[in-house]
Amino acid sequence: MLSDFGNILWWWFFIFIIGLGFLPTAMVIFGRFFDKGYLFAKVIGILFSSYLVWLLASLKLLPFFRESVFLVLVFGLALNLLLFVKNKEKFKLDRSFLIILSGEEFLFLGALVAWGLVRGFQPDIQGLEKFMDFGFVNSALRSKFMPPPDIWFAGKSINYYYFGHFIAAFLTKLSGLDSAITYNLMIATLFSFTFSLAFSITGNLFYLLTKEKSLRFSFGKSYLLVFAGLASSVLVSLGANLHPAFYNVKMSLLKIPYCDGASFYWYPNATRYIGYCPDVEDKTIHEFPSYSFVVSDLHGHVSDLPFVFLFIALLLNLFLSLKENNRNRFLPFLFSPLLSIMYMTNQWDFPIYLLALGLTLLAGYSYHHKLREAFFKTALTCFLVIVAVIPLILPFQLGFESIAKGVALVNSRSRFYQLLILWGAPWALGVLFISYLFGKEIVSLVKRVFRKVPKTLNFNLKTLPAADSFALILFAVATFLIIIPEIIYLKDIYIASYHRANTMFKLTYQSFVMFSLLSGYIMFRVASQIKRVLVRKTVSFLFFLIFSSLAVYPLYSIKGYYGDLKKENYKGLYGLNFLKREYPGDYEAINWLNKNIKGQPVVLEAVGDSYTDYNRVSMATGLPTVQGWLVHEWLWRGSFDEPGKRSGEVKTIYESSNINQVKELLKKYEVKYVFISKLEKQKYPQLNEAKFEKIGKKVFKSGEASVYELF
């Protein structure tokens, strides 16, 4: 555990230096914030540096070496130093500001250490889609230029949004640590960013509220800011929907079993509810960050979280500028590089946050322009932002073929009570928030409808504090994202019973992030302003129940995945020990390949079904194989024709006694090494190993594992 703690601190040190170096940029952008965007400086630094390294490697101008990473970082730090020197008067670091920075850094480091140690209780890079994610990281690490080769489709590059994996490789090269350790450190880093950046955004919403002159009461108590920020931090990074609380009451107190007959709560059920309970032909997915951190797949929607929070912070900053009629025409174009990163990390987030940008612009322009003119300005700005995105993503897009097959109307819709279990808590908070803001207007509206009282209504959003208006914007976007998969879905390869699963998953994941960010703000915003003591205590108790119901999830998820967090159960951060336990010969052979093979020659191994231990060699080395996980390549290539063909040819290579036929196929895919072990012999019962002695030589053997180098 002590050595892992050292690795965590070493990893944190580089992120800390990046954040400190890019602090001048953050302070210029987020000068209105109480923390001057301190935590966002880390994200800005990683974004700038990783993108520039990737771009230079994509253009074949600078190879993806550790020296290149340091060179680009020095360049970025030099630019920030120049910015600091030219604007010294703007960067005064007084004692109170240093206390804020120290507190936020402690929050970031504490979350990083905490989740890093949690990962140490089950660090195996095995199960679900970890093979894919780790393989992509290792492929990027081995690649001299971008895009990286597809480890499971030799001769082709990765046809997936892989930039999040590239960032993991970027930080791995920077730190110099083993990727089997940094995989788990990257998960811990994403958890830490989620926890700390949520605190910053919610805290700044509360802080900006205190600056509004139109407020009736003082909001100067800093503990409200801290508690609101921490409430959102917990809900975004550890919270869930109402499913755990609701069904635990039914199962534990009322003794009513779950839909599958279970009498105990199983944490993944909160992410697979609609279509599963009851069991119908409409299987959906509605995951959230806490589940992602627990199961620890390094997917794009998880890797993109720091950029999502940066985007929301920029939206808040933009909204404030527009309300103040600040004529900084360049501010909207800060979103172009960020949208570009989102496009290459998790493409679903591109249209989601373009929508959020559009609504923010429309609301902001409406303060000083008529609605028609505000629409025009919004459309023009969004168009120009998209135009600016195109050259930034062009190197990626030239090597990428879309796997989407169009849009269609859904065949099924969710039961309303299930939507309430999933989204009832944030909707309830939203209704309370709106009622608080517009209580008098709503009462007047009711009187006008039922009593026909002629009275002029005044739902004037322009009179609201900016923080409240921005909260309503996020609430509207989050709700709209939930409605979309009830109407349309993006077509892919999945069968009819799963037709809208991915659409609901990717859209509502961001709904959860937005709702959770707002929850801490709404609860403390409303409760702290109620004058009557009894009403305030009642509302505060209601908020406590909601918070507790959402925050109970880790009691089930962490124990369910990691077991008892006792010292004797700690395994460490190294993620490949499962190979040593289950496939000791393979583990030694993989280590040999990693130590002795340079570049990315093709290594033949058995073709595997998705979500199995097959293709562990390409996963753990970053060396491409002829054909890997079949369903995944079917998705990425848009058809089963080529993956199916390759699968048959790999079978022929292993089982055929026709030397000429085997040599021809090996030459076709430029295979340099052949791997034979337990899984190959299980997959191909007629495996003919003797022929490889004739066309190559055995260069390594350990247990059942053999590696042949072809002549």
Side-chain angles (χ1 to χ4, degrees):
M1 186 177 289
L2 188 61
S3 63
D4 285 337
F5 189 69
N7 286 331
I8 293 172
L9 288 180
W10 182 248
W11 177 266
W12 163 81
F13 170 75
F14 286 101
I15 297 175
F16 172 74
I17 293 300
I18 291 174
L20 199 61
F22 281 81
L23 184 56
T25 298
M27 292 179 72
V28 169
I29 297 172
F30 298 111
R32 295 180 178 85
F33 287 11
F34 79 90
D35 56 0
K36 309 302 180 187
Y38 173 73
L39 289 170
F40 291 102
K42 302 176 189 293
V43 185
I44 293 170
I46 292 172
L47 183 153
F48 173 87
S49 305
S50 61
Y51 177 79
L52 189 53
V53 169
W54 172 85
L55 180 64
L56 293 171
S58 297
L59 298 176
K60 308 294 189 292
L61 298 176
L62 193 68
F64 183 36
F65 295 156
R66 195 181 189 201
E67 295 80 3
S68 307
V69 172
F70 279 110
L71 179 64
V72 168
L73 271 176
V74 169
F75 174 68
L77 296 177
L79 290 179
N80 277 269
L81 180 61
L82 183 63
L83 181 63
F84 176 81
V85 170
K86 287 191 173 183
N87 300 273
K88 282 184 179 181
E89 66 283 354
K90 295 182 180 180
F91 301 122
K92 294 179 181 179
L93 305 180
D94 56 26
R95 184 173 179 273
S96 61
F97 184 55
L98 291 175
I99 291 174
I100 291 171
L101 301 196
S102 300
E104 289 196 333
E105 191 61 52
F106 178 79
L107 197 68
F108 178 83
L109 177 59
L112 177 65
V113 171
W115 203 256
L117 294 179
V118 168
R119 280 298 298 153
F121 286 90
Q122 180 50 277
D124 294 342
I125 306 173
Q126 182 187 31
L128 299 177
E129 294 179 291
K130 295 178 185 64
F131 271 30
M132 178 198 92
D133 293 317
F134 190 52
F136 280 8
V137 172
N138 284 326
S139 181
L141 283 169
R142 279 186 174 268
S143 298
K144 186 176 180 181
F145 298 110
M146 297 295 118
D150 187 341
I151 54 167
W152 291 338
F153 211 70
K156 299 290 184 179
S157 59
I158 294 174
N159 194 52
Y160 195 70
Y161 27 89
Y162 65 84
F163 196 81
H165 304 93
F166 176 79
I167 290 175
F170 170 87
L171 292 173
T172 298
K173 277 196 185 290
L174 180 62
S175 68
L177 297 173
D178 191 321
S179 63
I181 294 174
T182 64
Y183 178 94
N184 288 315
L185 288 177
M186 192 66 199
I187 294 293
T189 302
L190 293 169
F191 173 85
S192 180
F193 270 130
T194 299
F195 192 91
S196 58
L197 295 178
F199 171 84
S200 179
I201 291 174
T202 302
N204 275 298
L205 276 173
F206 220 94
Y207 170 76
L208 292 168
L209 191 63
T210 69
K211 297 296 183 182
E212 291 279 356
K213 296 179 181 179
S214 58
L215 290 178
R216 297 178 181 177
F217 310 109
S218 172
F219 276 76
K221 296 182 178 179
S222 60
Y223 71 85
L224 288 176
L225 182 154
V226 173
F227 288 160
L230 289 176
S232 290
S233 295
V234 170
L235 292 179
V236 176
S237 58
L238 294 170
N241 44 54
L242 289 175
H243 188 278
F246 179 77
Y247 280 98
N248 266 294
V249 170
K250 288 187 66 174
M251 297 161 68
S252 301
L253 298 181
L254 304 179
K255 305 301 180 183
I256 300 174
Y258 195 63
C259 301
D260 59 3
S263 57
F264 63 92
Y265 188 76
W266 183 229
Y267 71 93
N269 288 340
T271 70
R272 270 76 173 167
Y273 177 46
I274 297 174
Y276 294 86
C277 182
D279 187 6
V280 297
E281 292 298 301
D282 179 32
K283 301 294 188 291
T284 66
I285 304 172
H286 29 78
E287 293 182 10
F288 37 82
S290 178
Y291 176 81
S292 302
F293 297 135
V294 168
V295 301
S296 297
D297 282 3
L298 194 60
H299 280 0
H301 60 275
V302 187
S303 297
D304 206 32
L305 282 171
F307 305 119
V308 163
F309 290 116
L310 176 58
F311 197 97
I312 293 173
L314 284 172
L315 284 179
L316 175 56
N317 199 38
L318 173 66
F319 185 69
L320 292 169
S321 295
L322 292 174
K323 184 180 180 183
E324 296 166 3
N325 205 20
N326 187 327
R327 297 184 180 276
N328 186 348
R329 297 181 179 180
F330 296 100
L331 186 59
F333 296 98
L334 289 175
F335 294 94
S336 295
L338 196 47
L339 283 170
S340 302
I341 297 297
M342 287 178 159
Y343 182 86
M344 299 187 295
T345 303
N346 184 37
Q347 287 184 358
W348 286 87
D349 290 346
F350 181 89
I352 290 171
Y353 286 96
L354 185 62
L355 169 66
L357 173 61
L359 192 56
T360 303
L361 287 168
L362 180 61
Y365 283 135
S366 297
Y367 277 105
H368 306 285
H369 302 279
K370 293 182 179 179
L371 189 59
R372 183 175 181 179
E373 187 178 357
F375 267 112
F376 175 77
K377 283 181 169 290
T378 297
L380 179 61
T381 303
C382 286
F383 173 75
L384 293 175
V385 167
I386 293 172
V387 169
V389 165
I390 294 173
L392 297 176
I393 65 170
L394 190 59
F396 172 86
Q397 192 62 31
L398 289 175
F400 178 79
E401 294 181 16
S402 176
I403 59 179
K405 301 179 183 297
V407 177
L409 294 173
V410 299
N411 303 325
S412 307
R413 291 183 177 85
S414 307
R415 291 168 167 83
F416 185 67
Y417 78 87
Q418 291 184 308
L419 289 176
L420 286 179
I421 288 174
L422 295 179
W423 306 110
W427 281 344
L429 290 175
V431 169
L432 285 170
F433 185 51
I434 293 170
S435 300
Y436 167 76
L437 295 177
F438 302 108
K440 293 181 180 180
E441 289 80 0
I442 293 173
V443 171
S444 298
L445 178 62
V446 172
K447 289 181 178 180
R448 184 174 184 180
V449 171
F450 291 99
R451 299 182 184 179
K452 298 183 179 180
V453 177
K455 185 174 181 178
T456 302
L457 301 180
N458 183 26
F459 288 89
N460 191 352
L461 297 176
K462 295 182 180 180
T463 62
L464 291 178
D468 288 344
S469 298
F470 185 74
L472 291 175
I473 292 171
L474 285 189
F475 186 84
V477 174
T479 300
F480 183 65
L481 295 177
I482 295 169
I483 295 172
I484 290 175
E486 301 300 322
I487 303 172
I488 58 174
Y489 73 100
L490 192 67
K491 294 190 289 184
D492 45 37
I493 69 167
Y494 297 113
I495 59 177
S497 57
Y498 291 84
H499 71 286
R500 66 185 183 126
N502 200 41
T503 301
M504 180 178 288
F505 170 25
K506 296 300 172 57
L507 296 183
T508 62
Y509 197 90
Q510 299 307 320
S511 292
F512 186 94
V513 170
M514 294 181 209
F515 279 146
S516 298
L517 274 177
L518 295 177
S519 295
Y521 175 75
I522 291 173
M523 287 188 286
F524 284 89
R525 164 75 168 102
V526 174
S528 64
Q529 286 293 279
I530 298 175
K531 287 183 176 181
R532 297 180 181 178
V533 176
L534 181 60
V535 177
R536 184 170 67 247
K537 288 185 176 180
T538 302
V539 171
S540 297
F541 180 70
L542 174 62
F543 287 160
F544 176 76
L545 286 180
I546 292 175
F547 177 84
S548 301
S549 299
L550 299 176
V552 72
Y553 188 68
L555 298 179
Y556 305 97
S557 60
I558 292 178
K559 185 177 179 62
Y561 192 89
Y562 295 96
D564 292 326
L565 302 185
K566 298 180 179 179
K567 187 176 180 181
E568 57 268 25
N569 296 331
Y570 188 79
K571 300 174 183 177
L573 284 173
Y574 185 69
L576 293 181
N577 280 328
F578 77 94
L579 285 174
K580 188 187 297 186
R581 294 192 308 269
E582 301 175 26
Y583 310 99
D586 295 10
Y587 176 76
E588 295 299 329
I590 285 168
N591 281 341
W592 183 87
L593 288 168
N594 277 327
K595 290 178 182 177
N596 294 279
I597 306 303
K598 306 299 180 185
Q600 289 181 283
V602 178
V603 178
L604 186 74
E605 61 178 325
V607 178
D609 292 326
S610 296
Y611 308 102
T612 67
D613 285 348
Y614 281 94
N615 303 115
R616 73 277 184 211
V617 179
S618 45
M619 172 275 298
T621 63
L623 297 171
T625 194
V626 174
Q627 176 61 54
W629 282 9
L630 281 166
V631 173
H632 281 68
E633 287 297 342
W634 178 7
L635 173 65
W636 299 334
R637 303 300 159 183
S639 167
F640 189 72
D641 293 346
E642 185 62 21
K645 176 186 173 184
R646 287 184 175 218
S647 178
E649 290 175 329
V650 172
K651 176 180 172 67
T652 298
I653 292 173
Y654 274 111
E655 293 189 338
S656 177
S657 298
N658 186 329
I659 295 292
N660 290 331
Q661 183 185 26
V662 170
K663 289 174 69 175
E664 184 177 338
L665 289 173
L666 291 170
K667 182 179 179 181
K668 176 181 178 181
Y669 294 108
E670 300 182 353
V671 176
K672 183 63 177 176
Y673 297 92
V674 175
F675 193 94
I676 298 176
S677 192
K678 178 181 178 179
L679 294 184
E680 280 67 34
K681 293 173 183 177
Q682 287 180 358
K683 183 76 174 185
Y684 309 113
Q686 306 302 317
L687 191 149
N688 179 1
E689 187 171 353
K691 64 175 175 288
F692 296 112
E693 297 280 3
K694 300 177 182 178
I695 58 177
K697 63 178 180 178
K698 187 182 295 185
V699 292
F700 183 85
K701 180 172 177 59
S702 177
E704 293 187 71
S706 297
V707 179
Y708 289 89
E709 182 179 5
L710 303 180
F711 297 138

